[in-house]
Amino acid sequence: MAVEAAPARDPLALSEEERTVRDTVRDWAQRSVAPGAASRDEEERYDRHLVEEAGELGLTGLPYPEKYGGAGMGTFAWALAVEEIAAADMGLAVSLSVHILSQLCIFSHGTDEQRDRFLPSMTAGRDLGAFALTEPEAGSDAGSISLTARRDDDAYLLSGTKIWITNAGEASRYVVFGTVDRSLGKNGITAFVVEGDTPGFRLGSKERKMGIRGTTARELVFEDARVPAANRLGEEGQGLKVALSALGPGRISIAAACTGLARNALELATRYALERRQFGRAIADQEMIQGMLAEMAVRVDAARLLTWRAARMRDAGQPINSPSSMAKWYASDVAMAVATDAVQIYGGAGYSRDNPVERLMRDAKGAQIYEGTNQIHRLIVAQHLIETTRRSER
């Protein structure tokens, strides 16, 4: 008698724990985050209470070990969570992504004493983190950082400016990158943890952004800000290593957020197409609209799969430089394309600020620029491909 084979396990299926994370965050995001997203955007208002709620759910330290107050669930679980948050509000998703990224610098390169001192209040959501790398002349070219860090006994005096720093003004802890010697180029870059109340450190102008206006981005000004040497992450000259170790996982987080935004745009466009009637029938019955919706659906799924692959690879300890760049580049392009198509399906109504797809289109644009422009990510992917091929032919 033939024995029926057990059905093959879906290789993309989520574990019970992963489904719980996704469903819990989805319920919270749709109940608590989504209803106020439009007003926060309109008023350019950051809601710190939502971070506190995220902390109560364990989201503000989800990928980090329980020893430091985290949930110890890794990158993939965080990707699931941030997609759900972004489907409700891209601004909050970006803010929390930066918070998680700033902690990674401390977790990966801090001493045991620094981890114990800084992380528990951050994983709990009491202290919000920021990542201060960008300067007026140092964006994609991080090696051109000019903020100086001059040693003075048991401290460093930081002088210079940072711009476009997400969470600035709301954060109480900043991971800041400066140079101990500009003549050393990238080998002079050094990382520091700077507390928000450090003398000589103040907030500069606030950016008036096109999108993701529910979170802040501001200039940071350092005027001989005295930072204890005990707050330096790693050795002098290791700052670029610290930054790059966080930016790879940060790309995965942004890719997940873009997937959530695109999914939201697709769902809104589909519902609208079923409701909107022209020429005596729903526009969803028109082949041109169906074709647009189908293209949007494929792109959203492809963005999610690239994101999931990069997240699984990081949790498995595999190199993610190229996979994370692929995910961030593709998912942010998808977010922009799908949001734009959603506006088109809405027609004139989509061009109105009274409809959510207009906000999604503005939010999506920023993702093609921050965490490395998509042009830079094309270079990263191409260079990895070329170098891999050269090695295989030697």
Side-chain angles (χ1 to χ4, degrees), residues 77-108:
W78 173 244
L80 294 175
V82 79
E83 177 181 331
E84 298 304 328
I85 297 168
D89 182 2
M90 186 66 163
L92 182 62
V94 169
S95 174
L96 291 177
S97 292
V98 170
H99 174 66
I100 292 292
L101 182 151
S102 66
Q103 292 176 73
L104 182 56
C105 296
I106 300 169
F107 177 71
S108 299

Side-chain angles (χ1 to χ4, degrees), residues 96-263:
L96 291 177
S97 292
V98 170
H99 174 66
I100 292 292
L101 182 151
S102 66
Q103 292 176 73
L104 182 56
C105 296
I106 300 169
F107 177 71
S108 299
H109 295 276
T111 63
D112 288 341
E113 184 276 333
Q114 288 172 329
R115 294 189 192 105
D116 289 339
R117 180 157 50 103
F118 293 131
L119 287 178
S121 63
M122 297 179 77
T123 58
R126 294 191 301 273
D127 282 314
L128 188 65
F131 182 86
L133 181 67
T134 303
E135 297 181 1
E137 301 300 326
S140 297
D141 181 12
S144 296
I145 282 174
S146 63
L147 184 143
T148 59
R150 177 169 54 88
R151 187 68 187 250
D152 183 48
D153 294 329
D154 61 349
Y156 288 83
L157 300 180
L158 271 57
S159 294
T161 60
K162 297 290 182 180
I163 60 171
W164 285 104
I165 305 306
T166 298
N167 290 343
E170 298 293 337
S172 50
R173 195 158 288 153
Y174 298 77
V175 176
V176 179
F177 299 86
T179 179
V180 295
D181 187 344
R182 290 200 66 184
S183 69
L184 296 176
K186 65 182 181 181
N187 294 321
I189 299 173
T190 305
F192 303 89
V193 178
V194 179
E195 302 284 9
D197 59 356
T198 299
F201 167 52
R202 62 181 174 85
L203 298 172
S205 59
K206 183 178 180 180
E207 301 293 347
R208 300 182 68 242
K209 297 177 292 180
M210 174 191 292
I212 53 170
R213 301 194 309 189
T215 191
T216 64
R218 296 187 69 163
E219 177 188 37
L220 307 181
V221 180
F222 299 85
E223 298 165 324
D224 281 345
R226 191 175 184 86
V227 178
N231 285 21
R232 187 188 67 208
L233 294 176
E235 299 300 322
E236 288 188 359
Q238 292 184 341
L240 192 58
K241 180 181 178 181
V242 174
L244 293 177
S245 71
L247 288 173
R251 295 167 192 157
I252 298 172
S253 183
I254 294 301
C258 289
T259 302
L261 183 152
R263 187 190 87 199

